[in-house]
Amino acid sequence: MLPNKRILLGVTGGIAAYKAAELVRRLQDQGAQVRVVMTRAATEFVTPLTFQALSTYPVHTDLLNTETETVMGHIELARWADLIVIAPASADFLARLATGRGDDLLTTLCLAAECKIAIAPAMNQAMWAKAATQANRQLLLDRGMVFFGPEEGLQACGETGAGRLLDVAAIVEHCAGLFTTGLLSGKHVVITAGPTREALDPVRYISNHSSGKQGYALAEAAVLAGATVTLISGPTNLPPPDRTNFVPVVSAQDMYDAVMQTLDIADIVIGVAAVADYRPATLSEQKIKKSDGHNSMVLELIENPDIIKAVANSKHHPFTVGFAAETTNLLEYATKKLKQKNLDMIVANDVANHAIGFDSDDNETAVIWVDHVEQLPRMSKSNTAGRIIEFIAQRLAQKSGCA
Ligand code: C5P
């Protein structure tokens, strides 16, 4: 339910802090990467070592700790997260968040973050019911934060009422719910991903550095959006995402054939694959031998079919999205491809920048369609995928509204 989602778990000072340890495990069970930030008060209840062992990452506690800042600075940490979950959130923390304080690491992260912030409060029932706490809750809701719980029941202090931390399984489900949109329910999305391999002989091939990460993240995002997803992938090191029809292929021709077979049922085709433009003109049945006395070799290449162009120009014409991986003149080249290939949308990214390139976990893209460009800042490939799916759903709705 949370494939590759980056969740920053903020733990504040309260007896329910021990339940946050279980929350780390349950979020991980759903595929999330979890990093933990604790307030000073939280460390009085549970040690950072517990969370470090569970999350396998250093636990951040101080704003001005040079050691953890060198591992990942606080702004980087805020940028890293797809979602911040504060569980348990104390009354004091809510008050500090509501007043916009940045007097410790966790409040500062919340100020710096651009992602959604979810709050699971836990406190004595009288503290929760207090007008000040309720006013803070309302203010935070008005600012777009979401609340998970609290629930009613017997409290650690012996009193009964609303203030218990919501059940850990329910918190996990609510987190997943934030990423589940239903935007593409009833739609069939076909995605190409990864590199292709163009064989020269039985042991050698021509390929590229594509990791498949962005294409797989799009497949996961399309699943969360309620679509039926076919992922046609060249060879990668990634496990096939859950709940997709996974079609492994090797060469551009294989990929072309597999995509063409889906055309009758596809509503949307997204070409993320780094398809080899050319393949060797001949495939040698035996291993090509090094020829003595020659210090160079000439390979003849012939053009592969352009898959996404063929899709966009087919009679069926599903909503077609291409990717443009460029090293220079990003917007210019991408816009040219959008038109030349007759695409509905193209996503441009600068593969010369290693922080956001082929094998990295982050991306920074521009989403382009004929009359508009939308810049997406650097974020996880998972979050980038979610945003692209939103744009596709919007454009698709506009298109069918016009029809
Ligand atoms: O022309 P270029 O290869 O830069 O275009 C990139 C876009 O076209 C990507 O969406 C890629 O998946 C798609 N493509 C394709 N078939 C090819 C070459 C590229 O579908 N043979």
PDB file of all heavy atoms in Angstrom, residues 201 204 284 286-292 297:
ATOM      1  N   ASP A 201      25.541 -10.454 -30.662  1.00  0.00           N
ATOM      2  CA  ASP A 201      25.863 -11.875 -30.808  1.00  0.00           C
ATOM      3  C   ASP A 201      25.344 -12.555 -29.542  1.00  0.00           C
ATOM      4  O   ASP A 201      24.702 -11.890 -28.710  1.00  0.00           O
ATOM      5  CB  ASP A 201      27.375 -12.061 -31.063  1.00  0.00           C
ATOM      6  CG  ASP A 201      28.259 -11.651 -29.891  1.00  0.00           C
ATOM      7  OD1 ASP A 201      27.732 -11.540 -28.761  1.00  0.00           O
ATOM      8  OD2 ASP A 201      29.467 -11.452 -30.084  1.00  0.00           O
ATOM      9  N   ARG A 204      26.866 -10.445 -26.391  1.00  0.00           N
ATOM     10  CA  ARG A 204      27.025  -8.991 -26.279  1.00  0.00           C
ATOM     11  C   ARG A 204      25.752  -8.257 -26.715  1.00  0.00           C
ATOM     12  O   ARG A 204      25.019  -8.744 -27.570  1.00  0.00           O
ATOM     13  CB  ARG A 204      28.191  -8.513 -27.147  1.00  0.00           C
ATOM     14  CG  ARG A 204      29.504  -9.177 -26.808  1.00  0.00           C
ATOM     15  CD  ARG A 204      30.591  -8.516 -27.613  1.00  0.00           C
ATOM     16  NE  ARG A 204      31.883  -9.112 -27.391  1.00  0.00           N
ATOM     17  CZ  ARG A 204      32.383 -10.100 -28.128  1.00  0.00           C
ATOM     18  NH1 ARG A 204      31.683 -10.611 -29.135  1.00  0.00           N
ATOM     19  NH2 ARG A 204      33.584 -10.568 -27.871  1.00  0.00           N
ATOM     20  N   SER A 284      24.810 -11.838 -35.077  1.00  0.00           N
ATOM     21  CA  SER A 284      25.716 -12.950 -35.338  1.00  0.00           C
ATOM     22  C   SER A 284      25.312 -14.164 -34.491  1.00  0.00           C
ATOM     23  O   SER A 284      25.066 -14.024 -33.282  1.00  0.00           O
ATOM     24  CB  SER A 284      27.145 -12.516 -34.989  1.00  0.00           C
ATOM     25  OG  SER A 284      27.994 -13.616 -35.031  1.00  0.00           O
ATOM     26  N   GLN A 286      27.177 -16.711 -33.808  1.00  0.00           N
ATOM     27  CA  GLN A 286      28.321 -17.080 -32.961  1.00  0.00           C
ATOM     28  C   GLN A 286      28.947 -15.821 -32.378  1.00  0.00           C
ATOM     29  O   GLN A 286      28.769 -14.731 -32.920  1.00  0.00           O
ATOM     30  CB  GLN A 286      29.391 -17.824 -33.800  1.00  0.00           C
ATOM     31  CG  GLN A 286      28.877 -19.005 -34.582  1.00  0.00           C
ATOM     32  CD  GLN A 286      28.232 -20.066 -33.682  1.00  0.00           C
ATOM     33  OE1 GLN A 286      28.577 -20.189 -32.508  1.00  0.00           O
ATOM     34  NE2 GLN A 286      27.279 -20.801 -34.225  1.00  0.00           N
ATOM     35  N   LYS A 287      29.692 -16.005 -31.316  1.00  0.00           N
ATOM     36  CA  LYS A 287      30.388 -14.874 -30.706  1.00  0.00           C
ATOM     37  C   LYS A 287      31.349 -14.243 -31.724  1.00  0.00           C
ATOM     38  O   LYS A 287      32.104 -14.972 -32.380  1.00  0.00           O
ATOM     39  CB  LYS A 287      31.167 -15.371 -29.488  1.00  0.00           C
ATOM     40  CG  LYS A 287      31.806 -14.255 -28.712  1.00  0.00           C
ATOM     41  CD  LYS A 287      32.545 -14.776 -27.508  1.00  0.00           C
ATOM     42  CE  LYS A 287      33.394 -13.656 -26.943  1.00  0.00           C
ATOM     43  NZ  LYS A 287      34.387 -14.130 -26.018  1.00  0.00           N
ATOM     44  N   ILE A 288      31.242 -12.936 -31.874  1.00  0.00           N
ATOM     45  CA  ILE A 288      32.103 -12.248 -32.851  1.00  0.00           C
ATOM     46  C   ILE A 288      33.542 -12.281 -32.335  1.00  0.00           C
ATOM     47  O   ILE A 288      33.808 -11.918 -31.183  1.00  0.00           O
ATOM     48  CB  ILE A 288      31.641 -10.788 -33.063  1.00  0.00           C
ATOM     49  CG1 ILE A 288      30.193 -10.764 -33.563  1.00  0.00           C
ATOM     50  CG2 ILE A 288      32.570 -10.050 -34.028  1.00  0.00           C
ATOM     51  CD1 ILE A 288      29.522  -9.411 -33.520  1.00  0.00           C
ATOM     52  N   LYS A 289      34.460 -12.729 -33.170  1.00  0.00           N
ATOM     53  CA  LYS A 289      35.853 -12.875 -32.757  1.00  0.00           C
ATOM     54  C   LYS A 289      36.608 -11.577 -32.965  1.00  0.00           C
ATOM     55  O   LYS A 289      36.324 -10.825 -33.910  1.00  0.00           O
ATOM     56  CB  LYS A 289      36.536 -13.990 -33.568  1.00  0.00           C
ATOM     57  CG  LYS A 289      35.981 -15.374 -33.280  1.00  0.00           C
ATOM     58  CD  LYS A 289      36.007 -15.624 -31.833  1.00  0.00           C
ATOM     59  CE  LYS A 289      36.553 -16.889 -31.331  1.00  0.00           C
ATOM     60  NZ  LYS A 289      36.258 -17.014 -29.869  1.00  0.00           N
ATOM     61  N   LYS A 290      37.571 -11.367 -32.113  1.00  0.00           N
ATOM     62  CA  LYS A 290      38.468 -10.230 -32.276  1.00  0.00           C
ATOM     63  C   LYS A 290      39.311 -10.518 -33.520  1.00  0.00           C
ATOM     64  O   LYS A 290      39.846 -11.630 -33.641  1.00  0.00           O
ATOM     65  CB  LYS A 290      39.359 -10.180 -31.041  1.00  0.00           C
ATOM     66  CG  LYS A 290      40.190  -8.973 -30.901  1.00  0.00           C
ATOM     67  CD  LYS A 290      40.751  -8.996 -29.480  1.00  0.00           C
ATOM     68  CE  LYS A 290      41.991  -8.163 -29.390  1.00  0.00           C
ATOM     69  NZ  LYS A 290      42.584  -8.293 -28.061  1.00  0.00           N
ATOM     70  N   SER A 291      39.345  -9.564 -34.453  1.00  0.00           N
ATOM     71  CA  SER A 291      40.141  -9.899 -35.648  1.00  0.00           C
ATOM     72  C   SER A 291      41.543  -9.323 -35.520  1.00  0.00           C
ATOM     73  O   SER A 291      41.730  -8.124 -35.283  1.00  0.00           O
ATOM     74  CB  SER A 291      39.453  -9.427 -36.921  1.00  0.00           C
ATOM     75  OG  SER A 291      39.072  -8.094 -36.782  1.00  0.00           O
ATOM     76  N   ASP A 292      42.530 -10.216 -35.634  1.00  0.00           N
ATOM     77  CA  ASP A 292      43.931  -9.839 -35.473  1.00  0.00           C
ATOM     78  C   ASP A 292      44.333  -8.788 -36.510  1.00  0.00           C
ATOM     79  O   ASP A 292      43.905  -8.836 -37.663  1.00  0.00           O
ATOM     80  CB  ASP A 292      44.841 -11.069 -35.649  1.00  0.00           C
ATOM     81  CG  ASP A 292      44.651 -12.028 -34.495  1.00  0.00           C
ATOM     82  OD1 ASP A 292      44.166 -11.565 -33.431  1.00  0.00           O
ATOM     83  OD2 ASP A 292      44.947 -13.220 -34.654  1.00  0.00           O
ATOM     84  N   MET A 297      36.730  -1.365 -35.418  1.00  0.00           N
ATOM     85  CA  MET A 297      35.690  -2.258 -35.927  1.00  0.00           C
ATOM     86  C   MET A 297      34.483  -1.406 -36.293  1.00  0.00           C
ATOM     87  O   MET A 297      34.165  -0.447 -35.577  1.00  0.00           O
ATOM     88  CB  MET A 297      35.343  -3.228 -34.811  1.00  0.00           C
ATOM     89  CG  MET A 297      34.112  -3.997 -35.016  1.00  0.00           C
ATOM     90  SD  MET A 297      33.891  -5.148 -33.657  1.00  0.00           S
ATOM     91  CE  MET A 297      32.623  -6.144 -34.358  1.00  0.00           C
TER      92      MET A 297
END
